[in-house]
Amino acid sequence: GAVVSQHPSWVICKSGTSVKIECRSLDFQATTMFWYRQFPKQSLMLMATSNEGSKATYEQGVEKDKFLINHASLTLSTLTVTSAHPEDSSFYICSAILGETQYFGPGTRLLVL
Amino acid sequence: KNEVEQSPQNLTAQEGEFITINCSYSVGISALHWLQQHPGGGIVSLFMLSSGKKKHGRLIATINIQEKHSSLHITASHPRDSAVYICAVRPSGSARQLTFGSGTQLTVLP
């Protein structure tokens, strides 16, 4: 079946640094990808919708200047957490739709010290 | 009140038991998804429903659009079924975005 990959799977960084997370659709093209964040014991929360060749659409309360999204090709979207702080520590998941099925990446666990 | 409510929040069962997880939603939807999230975090899409019933192996999902309710059943449960099961709906008019329930943590004991 279709596969969505993420890299890295986990990252530890110091406060104030920027972290880039890649999301790739491995065997299909995705004009739209979704970025979610999940805190422990909580459900997934949509952060933004990434659109190939155009600006991402951010959910209310998500700072677009802090969470930079680039969807430069039909198979790659990147999420950059700029000037990361400990409260940004979370599990970040991307997703893409093929047909009627939504495929999720394996997630990236971010820990900001 | 959340748009998507799941029950129970936690469920422990003995191997072999029949399991039911419920999902109620309060908005009009175009589709409902059942997802499985393993301890490592990876999410697998189990079903997408817009009406009726679907079956895949030991898993059965049903939906009643009029009552805004869906159930996920697992027959002959096994410890490897232990995971978080998440109900997610696509609200009508929302092109592709999903609204997620808080999940049901299932533990199947050997």
Side-chain angles (χ1 to χ4, degrees):
Chain A
V3 176
V4 174
S5 71
Q6 277 184 246
H7 179 80
S9 56
W10 59 269
V11 58
I12 302 173
C13 68
K14 291 183 178 179
S15 186
T17 60
S18 294
V19 175
K20 180 186 283 188
I21 303 170
E22 294 185 347
C23 177
R24 294 181 185 273
S25 56
L26 294 186
D27 50 4
F28 67 101
Q29 294 180 333
T31 56
T32 302
M33 291 184 177
F34 303 97
W35 285 98
Y36 299 92
R37 181 167 53 183
Q38 185 180 35
F39 292 106
K41 303 295 184 183
Q42 295 187 23
S43 189
L44 284 77
M45 295 296 295
L46 179 66
M47 298 176 66
T49 302
S50 171
N51 304 297
E52 187 270 335
S54 64
K55 292 183 180 179
T57 304
Y58 289 82
E59 295 301 298
Q60 192 172 12
V62 178
E63 299 176 57
K64 62 180 180 181
D65 294 330
K66 180 168 181 64
F67 298 99
L68 301 179
I69 291 174
N70 184 287
H71 196 152
S73 78
L74 287 171
T75 59
L76 173 63
S77 174
T78 60
L79 168 68
T80 301
V81 183
T82 62
S83 186
H85 287 101
E87 57 264 32
D88 299 323
S89 299
S90 188
F91 189 58
Y92 293 85
I93 307 170
C94 70
S95 173
I97 294 177
L98 176 62
E100 293 186 334
T101 302
Q102 187 151 351
Y103 294 94
F104 292 84
T108 297
R109 202 163 296 279
L110 171 64
L111 177 61
V112 184
L113 301 177
Chain B
K1 183 172 166 50
N2 294 332
E3 291 182 337
V4 182
E5 297 275 359
Q6 284 185 238
S7 63
Q9 288 186 325
N10 294 282
L11 179 58
T12 300
Q14 289 295 135
E15 183 174 356
E17 286 186 4
F18 180 84
I19 288 164
T20 296
I21 300 171
N22 295 299
C23 175
S24 296
Y25 52 92
S26 57
V27 297
I29 67 169
S30 58
L32 181 144
H33 295 252
W34 280 103
L35 310 171
Q36 180 190 53
Q37 185 171 29
H38 285 281
I43 295 175
V44 174
S45 179
L46 299 175
F47 294 104
M48 192 203 75
L49 296 163
S50 54
S51 65
K53 175 180 175 179
K54 287 189 176 180
K55 184 177 188 294
H56 182 70
R58 295 181 293 107
L59 302 178
I60 302 167
T62 63
I63 188 169
N64 185 317
I65 296 293
Q66 286 72 33
E67 295 186 2
K68 292 186 168 60
H69 181 269
S70 175
S71 293
L72 176 69
H73 306 285
I74 304 176
T75 62
S77 60
H78 191 275
R80 64 175 175 267
D81 297 326
S82 299
V84 175
Y85 292 83
I86 302 170
C87 172
V89 302
R90 180 167 297 128
S92 300
S94 171
R96 292 177 163 196
Q97 296 169 358
L98 297 177
T99 300
F100 296 85
S102 57
T104 295
Q105 172 69 62
L106 171 65
T107 303
V108 182
L109 302 174

